[in-house]
Amino acid sequence: MTGVTGAVIPIRVPKPFADWPVSQLVTGDPTDDIMRATYRALCRHGYANLTMQDIADEWSKSKAALHYHYDTKRGLLLAFLDHLFESYTDRVADSGDGSPRDRLHDLLADATDPPRADTSRELWTALFEVKAQAPHDDDFRDRLARFDRYLYDELRGILVDGVETGVFRAGVDPDETATLLVTLVTGTHSRRVSLGDDAGVPDALNAFVDNHLVEPGQ
């Protein structure tokens, strides 16, 4: 992949942390508890207005206790992106089951899955603000680029398999097509955050796969 298209970070949680009472957020593992507190604080305050005190308040600990684990807001947000990446790779992955066409549809569905709660939308908006730091901060850019590279690799693997097995057209270039699909997924998330809807883009992605990638008769 020859560039970063904008960092794909879809967020989906069964029940938003921002709605949970603090008693249900305490796991006994300081790192997990801080990550959950960071989630809640981002949902409530956004990135630009977020302070270490906001996160400490959500953790129900002192600001000094939070600084014991993370010196700065920047360092904590970088750790939070690492935490999100682990969750992302668990959820958005090629299952390896079924035909390449079905696997590609499934992966794109997971990658474009919309948030299921207002608090998740708020987190998306906060992360949209985080992306704005990437041009000015190499560490943020590297963390965000990792999401794109991961999705690119997953997509490319399916595309290669599809071409080799004759499910996808022989002229399909896995590298170029994977880059295009990552860009389209990223644009879907950006549109959803900016405009509040995806305007049928997931259906359009499926139509693109079936009409332009799949070998006729497959």
Side-chain angles (χ1 to χ4, degrees):
M1 189 175 182
T2 58
V4 177
T5 57
V8 179
I9 314 180
I11 305 300
R12 185 180 67 183
V13 290
K15 182 177 181 181
F17 291 140
D19 289 343
W20 288 14
V22 172
S23 62
Q24 293 185 31
L25 289 167
V26 177
T27 67
D29 183 320
T31 299
D32 285 346
D33 292 343
I34 291 170
M35 293 301 103
R36 294 181 182 212
T38 302
Y39 177 98
R40 287 167 60 95
L42 278 169
C43 288
R44 295 189 193 282
H45 303 284
Y47 172 79
N49 297 321
L50 183 69
T51 67
M52 293 290 275
Q53 185 62 61
D54 293 329
I55 299 170
D57 290 343
E58 296 293 345
W59 189 29
S60 293
K61 300 286 186 179
S62 68
K63 184 178 175 182
L66 183 60
H67 276 293
Y68 176 81
H69 296 278
Y70 298 96
D71 291 336
T72 63
K73 168 184 165 180
R74 175 181 175 276
L76 176 48
L77 265 294
L78 289 172
F80 184 67
L81 288 175
D82 290 337
H83 178 77
L84 288 182
F85 182 75
E86 292 180 11
S87 173
Y88 179 70
T89 56
D90 286 341
R91 187 175 68 80
V92 180
D94 174 22
S95 67
D97 297 327
S99 72
R101 173 187 175 277
D102 292 340
R103 287 159 51 201
L104 187 54
H105 278 308
D106 289 344
L107 183 60
L108 290 171
D110 287 340
T112 58
D113 187 31
R116 297 183 178 180
D118 289 342
T119 47
S120 294
R121 273 191 50 107
E122 290 161 2
L123 181 62
W124 278 54
T125 302
L127 291 173
F128 204 64
E129 297 178 79
V130 171
K131 292 181 185 181
Q133 309 306 308
H136 316 290
D137 190 310
D138 289 344
D139 289 332
F140 273 110
R141 183 166 57 250
D142 289 345
R143 294 308 199 284
L144 293 168
R146 190 163 55 154
F147 288 87
D148 276 19
R149 288 194 299 269
Y150 171 80
L151 181 59
Y152 169 87
D153 288 341
E154 292 292 290
L155 289 166
R156 185 183 181 281
I158 297 173
L159 291 163
V160 168
D161 191 14
V163 172
E164 290 179 348
T165 57
V167 174
F168 296 147
R169 303 180 188 198
V172 170
D173 184 311
D175 297 316
E176 292 180 357
T177 305
T179 298
L180 173 63
L181 291 174
V182 171
T183 304
L184 291 173
V185 169
T186 302
T188 302
H189 295 307
S190 297
R191 182 186 181 95
R192 188 177 290 135
V193 170
S194 301
L195 303 180
D197 68 69
D198 54 31
V201 174
D203 290 337
L205 282 171
N206 287 335
F208 172 78
V209 170
D210 292 340
N211 295 334
H212 297 283
L213 302 183
V214 175
E215 180 70 27
Q218 290 292 324

